Amino acid sequence: KNVSFAYEQDRYVLKDISFTAEKGQTIALVGPTGAGKSSIINLISRLYDIQKGTICIDGKDVRDFELSNLRTQIGTVLQDVFLFSDSVRNNISLHNPNISDAQIWEAAELVGAAHFIRQLPGQLDYKVMERGGTLSVGQRQLISFIRTLVYDPKVIILDEATSSIDGETEELIQDAILKLMKGRTAIVIAHRLSTVQHADNILVIEKGEIKERGTHQEL
């Protein structure tokens, strides 16, 4: 509500931003590079604190939540997937002992990634090189989806650009995105028309302001 935000004092990159996402809705953010879309999604997880206005989840200011509690309820999937030099299992569970192999396989099946993991030498024990160098862009993206799903967040934040991905993998990823968002509240930086068509509300962002809003049909 009425959020303004600056990385540097008084140089506002977001100006008076207001919108509501009801439980289970998908809100799409569209607009040119540098419009402020990424800044909006960074603020929801409180990677930065705002200068003006409020951001509330279930009516409670995000600044009143414990950071760890807030962030376990928010699953963030970014365009540039970060993978560690570690096993596929640990890249998904992030060394959380409460996440079982059965949960990982279940999530992998759901997003259509189980097939490629089974083909890796050692499967879940397969050692991923730094930043996932031995996997394709699409495979890295699918692992990040599994990582998000096993934590079962209530809110999904998604920067869904997938450049340099072949058509077949893109279809798989598109399908995985829809499964990831099902039953969850989603805030999506949309690069594809298909996501925008499914969105309950589209915000057109330009130079840090919301210029238009509505459904795909209305806009």
Side-chain angles (χ1 to χ4, degrees):
K1 189 177 181 189
N2 307 119
V3 167
S4 294
F5 170 69
Y7 292 100
E8 296 169 37
Q9 196 175 359
D10 295 332
R11 291 181 63 183
Y12 285 95
V13 292
L14 295 176
K15 301 159 205 152
D16 200 29
I17 298 283
S18 294
F19 67 89
T20 303
E22 299 293 345
K23 185 180 177 181
Q25 278 191 337
T26 295
I27 307 295
L29 311 178
V30 300
T33 303
K37 304 185 298 296
S38 295
S39 297
I40 291 172
I41 63 174
N42 288 341
L43 295 177
I44 294 168
S45 305
R46 250 193 94 196
L47 297 181
Y48 301 94
D49 276 329
I50 55 178
Q51 283 87 354
K52 297 177 185 174
T54 52
I55 298 172
C56 294
I57 295 179
D58 286 346
K60 183 176 174 177
D61 194 309
V62 291
R63 287 170 286 204
D64 295 336
F65 286 94
E66 242 181 72
L67 260 187
S68 59
N69 287 349
L70 175 71
R71 290 180 184 162
T72 51
Q73 297 300 326
I74 299 173
T76 306
V77 180
L78 298 177
Q79 191 179 343
D80 186 19
V81 178
F82 192 91
L83 295 181
F84 304 93
S85 180
D86 205 334
S87 66
V88 169
R89 177 187 291 103
N90 291 337
N91 266 292
I92 291 167
S93 70
L94 303 176
H95 290 273
N96 182 341
N98 298 322
I99 291 171
S100 67
D101 282 7
Q103 285 171 286
I104 292 174
W105 282 116
E106 189 184 342
E109 289 284 359
L110 192 69
V111 300
H115 178 68
F116 99 79
I117 294 173
R118 284 199 183 94
Q119 291 183 321
L120 296 172
Q123 300 186 0
L124 291 179
D125 293 317
Y126 177 75
K127 187 93 186 292
V128 177
M129 302 311 286
E130 191 66 51
R131 297 193 70 88
T134 48
L135 300 172
S136 72
V137 178
Q139 289 170 335
R140 295 201 291 271
Q141 190 73 279
L142 287 169
I143 283 179
S144 77
F145 290 163
I146 302 168
R147 184 194 282 169
T148 304
L149 262 185
V150 293
Y151 278 88
D152 194 22
K154 304 282 187 293
V155 177
I156 292 272
I157 292 175
L158 190 62
D159 184 349
E160 55 110 48
T162 41
S163 52
S164 67
I165 284 183
D166 61 85
E168 194 182 332
T169 312
E170 186 167 349
E171 207 172 293
L172 193 64
I173 283 176
Q174 190 57 47
D175 189 45
I177 285 171
L178 293 175
K179 284 175 177 162
L180 204 59
M181 296 193 308
K182 194 174 181 193
R184 294 183 172 89
T185 309
I187 314 284
V188 184
I189 292 181
H191 301 264
R192 288 193 196 77
L193 199 59
S194 53
T195 310
V196 176
Q197 285 169 332
H198 290 122
D200 297 285
N201 201 4
I202 300 163
L203 309 179
V204 181
I205 318 283
E206 202 176 300
K207 294 180 180 166
E209 297 178 77
I210 298 175
K211 296 293 187 187
E212 290 186 273
R213 65 177 84 209
T215 62
H216 184 255
Q217 225 64 36
E218 289 163 351
L219 292 175

